[in-house]
Amino acid sequence: MPSGGLVPKKYLLVQPVMMRVVVGLLPCLAGSVLFFGWRPILVTLVALTAGTLAEAAFTLRQGKPVTSAVFVTSLIYSLSLPPTVPLWIVAVGIVFGVVFGKMAFGGFGYNVYNPAMVGRCFVYISFPIFLTARWVPPFGSLAEGVRGWLPPLDAVTSATPLRLVQAGQDVPLGPLFFGNISGSMGETSALLVLLGGVYIIYKKAAQWRLAVSCLFGAAATASILYILRVPGVPDPLTNLLAGSLLFGAFFVVTEPISGPKTKPAQWVYGVGIGSLTILLRRYSNFPEGVMFSVLFMNTFVPLLDRAVKFFQEKKKAQATAS
């Protein structure tokens, strides 16, 4: 067997930064089991297998290895899904995301859009019932989650914290922080997301400006709407803890390839995603706006970077001339 572990190096490129993000996602994956049983592990394995095979179908024919970045894409994608999602939808979505969100642009390092969000957006629009109306409440205790496969399907509901907020109901902050509420597999616990998010920033696997600017934009926009007493807008803290905002800020917005490279552009990009997320939550038919906000802002990343470089060069030229 060739040196380099179980998988020969010519077939798999292990990227240390990406593997740190994988480690950062593990608390969210563990939480999905504690809250929703062992089925989330099967969902994740299907996404990892289908996503890796989809990338391998392109790279191995070119004599290139599969990158470990596909593990990050597959994990983020799977953790953003409901625990009840059919496995065939899991496979279809991740294959679409890898092929059309990444490989169609030339593979790793060339994708314009976040591949995980491309895949999730595709299944979200194509199979809305499975993605928006079949949530299950968590198990009554963590011990039940460890022993169980999935909460009883007779308790399936369309009510998530964001739906309840839109309906004018109060949502306690405790469940939002700890995660024992209905929602996507790995996004319900603010505590676990923060643990993983702080880890990847500490390990320099994610750019802190992107995460902080996204949360700042969301908090500022939510505060303005809340002060103006706009109906259906909860207090800023509830907005930050509910849904996938925290998960998106740390693990989606910080994706290095589809995000800006210049520091000023990173602030604009993150603030734009955070602000747009709150506005979409309030004024669109979609209760969760992170996915659409990220894809929308991905489109303007080259323009943002070019604008920053243009003004920097202009400022430098003026300084030289004076």
Side-chain angles (χ1 to χ4, degrees):
M1 177 178 290
S3 61
L6 296 177
V7 180
K9 290 182 179 180
K10 66 177 180 179
Y11 297 132
L12 175 64
L13 175 62
V14 178
Q15 301 157 298
V17 171
M18 292 298 164
M19 296 310 297
R20 291 182 198 123
V21 180
V22 169
V23 173
L25 287 164
L26 292 182
C28 297
L29 181 60
S32 70
V33 174
L34 295 175
F35 299 129
F36 303 112
W38 287 95
R39 191 176 190 275
I41 295 295
L42 179 59
V43 171
T44 303
L45 289 175
V46 169
L48 285 167
T49 302
T52 302
L53 291 176
E55 182 167 323
F58 287 82
T59 60
L60 297 186
R61 292 179 60 187
Q62 302 168 357
K64 300 178 181 179
V66 173
T67 63
S68 52
V70 74
F71 302 155
V72 175
T73 297
S74 301
L75 276 170
I76 291 174
Y77 166 77
S78 61
L79 290 172
S80 71
L81 299 174
T84 59
V85 62
L87 298 180
W88 64 270
I89 290 182
V90 178
V92 167
I94 191 60
V95 169
F96 186 92
V98 170
V99 172
F100 293 100
K102 181 177 180 181
M103 304 314 298
F105 292 95
F108 177 76
Y110 298 98
N111 51 287
V112 176
Y113 296 95
N114 185 296
M117 294 299 99
V118 170
R120 192 183 190 283
C121 185
F122 176 73
V123 295
Y124 187 92
I125 294 173
S126 302
F127 315 107
I129 298 298
F130 295 103
L131 271 293
T132 62
R134 294 192 176 182
W135 307 97
V136 289
F139 281 107
S141 67
L142 300 184
E144 287 184 76
V146 173
R147 296 194 303 264
W149 177 249
L150 189 70
L153 292 180
D154 57 4
V156 167
T157 176
S158 61
T160 60
L162 288 176
R163 285 291 188 191
L164 296 175
V165 165
Q166 283 187 334
Q169 300 183 36
D170 292 328
V171 179
L173 292 179
L176 292 177
F177 183 74
F178 291 106
N180 52 330
I181 50 172
S182 298
S184 298
M185 298 191 325
E187 298 176 348
T188 62
S189 173
L191 174 61
L192 296 178
V193 172
L194 286 170
L195 285 175
V198 170
Y199 171 82
I200 63 173
I201 288 177
Y202 174 73
K203 288 291 187 178
K204 300 188 185 305
Q207 176 52 252
W208 66 268
R209 292 182 193 84
L210 292 169
V212 170
S213 60
C214 176
L215 295 177
F216 174 80
T221 304
S223 298
I224 292 171
L225 296 180
Y226 185 69
I227 291 172
L228 295 176
R229 299 182 180 275
V230 175
V233 177
D235 62 272
L237 185 57
T238 298
N239 247 318
L240 291 178
L241 297 182
S244 62
L245 184 56
L246 275 180
F247 185 86
F250 284 105
F251 294 106
V252 180
V253 178
T254 57
E255 200 268 328
I257 305 304
S258 59
K261 308 304 181 289
T262 58
K263 294 178 182 179
Q266 289 173 349
W267 285 105
V268 175
Y269 175 77
V271 169
I273 291 175
S275 299
L276 188 57
T277 295
I278 301 302
L279 293 174
L280 287 176
R281 284 181 175 184
R282 173 58 186 87
Y283 294 107
S284 76
N285 291 326
F286 306 105
E288 182 57 78
V290 173
M291 172 182 64
F292 292 111
S293 300
V294 169
L295 293 175
F296 179 80
M297 291 301 295
N298 282 162
T299 306
F300 297 97
V301 165
L303 182 61
L304 291 174
D305 276 333
R306 285 180 195 151
V308 169
K309 291 177 181 178
F310 171 79
F311 285 111
Q312 287 177 340
E313 291 173 359
K314 184 178 180 180
K315 184 177 180 180
K316 186 183 296 184
Q318 290 175 342
T320 303
S322 61

